[in-house]
Amino acid sequence: MFAIRSRPTVQVGLKIAIGQGLVSLVYQPIQDVVSGRVEAVEALMRLKMLDGTLVPPSLFIPVAERTGAILELGRWAIRTVCAELLADDHVPLVSVNVSPIQLKTPGFAASVATILGETGVTGNRLAFEITEGLEMEMHSDILRCISDLKLLGIKIWLDDFGTGFAGLSWLRLIDFDTVKIDRSFLHDCGTPKGMAMLQDIIALVRNRGHKILVEGVETDEQIALMREFGIDKIQGFRVGRPVPAANFQAKRGVHKRPYLKSA
Ligand code: G
Ligand code: MN
């Protein structure tokens, strides 16, 4: 289905998919461990084919990155987050996944500034999650773009820390507000070696002064462990699954806190 066709075909395909509402965003809550409140949500992209099949982002994002369609998709996602979620004040902060390809593209920070201006949203309600992924080098263009985004008030988070090739060198180069520790570290902590690894990675991030978010929290025991370890934020099915924007909106003026209802 996603056998690579020509670039223009995929680009046009994704543009049509956006136009027809086949691409959508769902939002997964992020909980502050100390207050127990949902202090942020992560926007996650979903693609539905015309026959109703759901294509996971792990399949279509790499295709969009290779073809350049990620630029259009990325702008659409940021605009949609600002218009459908941040227009209300129910959710304090939304994190959006951003590809290094977007950060490398000249004019990206300016296009974000335009979206903020048009939707009337302030940058301090957005965080951009960057995945180390397969990207080995940190271009000077990326560093410049990140400092421009920070000037807009946007927070920069490191996603999936510990899974890619470049995480440590990125930590040296970028002052991330928050580092998200990949869920595989929590899932492997049932063995003494796995537990030592989790504690080491937490110490590494903490000693550098970043806030820590642990992904993939699925049980009450894991929540207790995170509290014991002094983790700042948690995300995972135990906190909440990804849900449509409507679950966070509504009842204007009644709910002062993000309105949360699991699907
Ligand atoms: O790494 P990133 O935060 O971008 O990954 C988000 C993805 O992880 C989403 O597709 C989401 O559905 C999935 N996910 C979120 N929480 C959990 C969890 O607790 N367990 C598992 N297995 N997957 C999760
Ligand atoms: Mn993410």
Side-chain angles (χ1 to χ4, degrees), residues 28 42-46 57 97 129 131 159-160 180 182-183 187 215-218 235-238 240-242:
Q28 184 172 30
E42 177 180 7
L44 297 161
M45 236 180 245
R46 295 289 182 260
N97 294 284
E129 297 191 11
T131 309
D159 201 2
D160 301 325
K180 296 181 77 170
D182 187 71
R183 63 173 178 265
H187 288 189
E215 302 177 319
V217 173
E218 295 179 352
Q235 183 177 1
F237 295 161
R238 184 65 190 92
R241 289 185 181 255

Side-chain angles (χ1 to χ4, degrees), residues 26-48:
V26 286
Y27 298 89
Q28 184 172 30
I30 293 170
Q31 186 176 314
D32 181 283
V33 176
V34 173
S35 71
R37 287 177 181 151
V38 174
E39 298 292 3
V41 297
E42 177 180 7
L44 297 161
M45 236 180 245
R46 295 289 182 260
L47 171 64
K48 204 180 200 172

